[in-house]
């Protein structure tokens, strides 16, 4: 069974704080991982992809991958109210099959 | 590129009617995915195609659902007959098998079956 697990939240953080979102996946052979952001009533939007162990930074976003622990995380620094959304973790299984986690709802409080 | 294009954006139909959802993937992409999203079940993969060939349709809920991809630039998801429990947002996404694997979503079709 190909699965991606996330804490559904909601996760509430004050404006300016660091938001930490976590994800685990079932298939040790997976090589590609993605974070999507979905605003209410909108489609998922790709914000980060990561393929190697370690950290990948893009602006206020940092994705972290630990393949030994089958764990992916997303850190959002200096959180803004506009970051309030649902964040979906996805893994590519077998190089072809995209599987999404249930999403974590983030609320950034002004 | 215009991105993944889905139509219609909204569909309201009566129970028992046939519904057809349409998707045009990003030009050059050779993988296409159909997802259904509800509050209760989240984002569920229904079926995906590689190079126009259906690879995994295990997520299709029942025989009332069917999907086709007659060519690289067009796919349909059909529900016949539709039922109120089919009400959801249906997303199409595409990616490139030879690229970095990132999938890009269309705007979705909000289906309401009354």
């Amino acid at each position: 069974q190909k699965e991606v697990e996330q804490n559904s939240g909601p996760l509430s953080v004050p404006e300016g704080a660091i938001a930490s979102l976590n994800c685990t996946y079932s298939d040790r052979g997976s090589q590609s991982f993605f974070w999507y952001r979905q605003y209410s009533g909108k489609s998922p939007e790709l914000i980060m992809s990561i393929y190697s162990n370690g950290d990948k930074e893009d602006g206020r976003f940092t994705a972290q991958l630990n393949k030994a622990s089958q764990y992916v995380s997303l850190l959002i620094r200096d959180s803004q109210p506009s970051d309030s959304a649902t964040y979906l973790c996805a893994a590519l299984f077998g190089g072809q099959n995209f599987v999404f986690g249930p999403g974590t709802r983030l609320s950034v409080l002004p | 590129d215009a991105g993944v294009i889905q139509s219609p954006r909204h569909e309201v139909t009566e129970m028992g009617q046939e519904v057809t959802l349409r998707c045009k993937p990003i030009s050059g992409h050779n993988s296409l995915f159909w997802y259904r999203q509800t509050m209760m079940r989240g984002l569920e993969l229904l079926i995906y195609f590689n190079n126009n060939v259906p690879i995994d349709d295990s997520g299709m809920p029942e025989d009332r659902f069917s999907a086709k991809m007659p060519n690289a630039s067009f796919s349909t998801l059909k529900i016949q007959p539709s039922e109120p429990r089919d009400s959801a947002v249906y997303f199409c996404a595409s990616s490139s098998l030879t690229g970095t694997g990132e999938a890009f979503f269309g705007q979705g079709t909000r289906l309401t079956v009354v």
Side-chain angles (χ1 to χ4, degrees):
Chain A
Q1 185 79 2
K2 303 176 179 67
E3 291 184 340
V4 176
E5 304 280 352
Q6 293 181 257
N7 187 323
S8 62
L11 173 66
S12 295
V13 300
E15 184 175 354
I18 296 176
S20 178
L21 305 163
N22 305 312
C23 168
T24 58
Y25 58 94
S26 62
D27 184 355
R28 188 173 291 277
S30 296
Q31 298 293 321
S32 304
F33 306 90
F34 309 89
W35 283 99
Y36 287 78
R37 176 177 61 199
Q38 187 176 24
Y39 292 114
S40 181
K42 302 295 186 182
S43 58
E45 172 194 12
L46 178 69
I47 54 172
M48 290 285 287
S49 56
I50 187 165
Y51 309 99
S52 305
N53 275 331
D55 296 359
K56 179 182 178 182
E57 187 173 318
D58 184 359
R60 295 186 297 111
F61 298 96
T62 299
Q64 299 173 319
L65 173 60
N66 183 328
K67 292 185 179 179
S69 301
Q70 297 177 233
Y71 178 89
V72 190
S73 66
L74 179 70
L75 301 178
I76 306 175
R77 289 182 300 282
D78 188 24
S79 296
Q80 301 297 309
S82 59
D83 295 326
S84 298
T86 296
Y87 289 81
L88 299 161
C89 174
L92 193 59
F93 292 100
Q96 302 181 71
N97 187 356
F98 250 91
V99 178
F100 283 82
T104 298
R105 192 152 49 93
L106 173 66
S107 178
V108 180
L109 307 173
Chain B
D1 197 312
V4 177
I5 300 173
Q6 290 186 247
S7 64
R9 291 291 307 277
H10 302 273
E11 176 81 31
V12 180
T13 191
E14 292 186 346
M15 182 174 62
Q17 296 298 305
E18 177 179 296
V19 175
T20 300
L21 311 181
R22 297 173 175 79
C23 175
K24 176 178 168 53
I26 291 172
S27 178
H29 280 187
N30 46 15
S31 284
L32 183 140
F33 306 83
W34 281 102
Y35 290 90
R36 177 173 68 177
Q37 189 174 42
T38 61
M39 289 292 292
M40 291 297 295
R41 300 174 69 90
L43 198 62
E44 300 174 278
L45 177 65
L46 301 177
I47 185 171
Y48 74 94
F49 296 83
N50 285 347
N51 296 313
N52 313 338
V53 177
I55 303 300
D56 185 353
D57 66 354
S58 59
M60 297 285 261
E62 47 198 275
D63 292 345
R64 298 184 297 106
F65 286 68
S66 62
K68 293 182 180 180
M69 191 164 187
N71 57 61
S73 59
F74 184 66
S75 177
T76 58
L77 177 68
K78 186 175 294 186
I79 308 173
Q80 166 63 18
S82 58
E83 297 183 3
R85 61 192 168 120
D86 301 331
S87 298
V89 180
Y90 291 80
F91 288 108
C92 175
S94 72
S95 70
S96 172
L97 282 170
T98 55
T100 52
E102 297 158 336
F104 298 91
F105 282 76
Q107 296 299 310
T109 296
R110 181 174 295 278
L111 173 65
T112 302
V113 183
V114 298

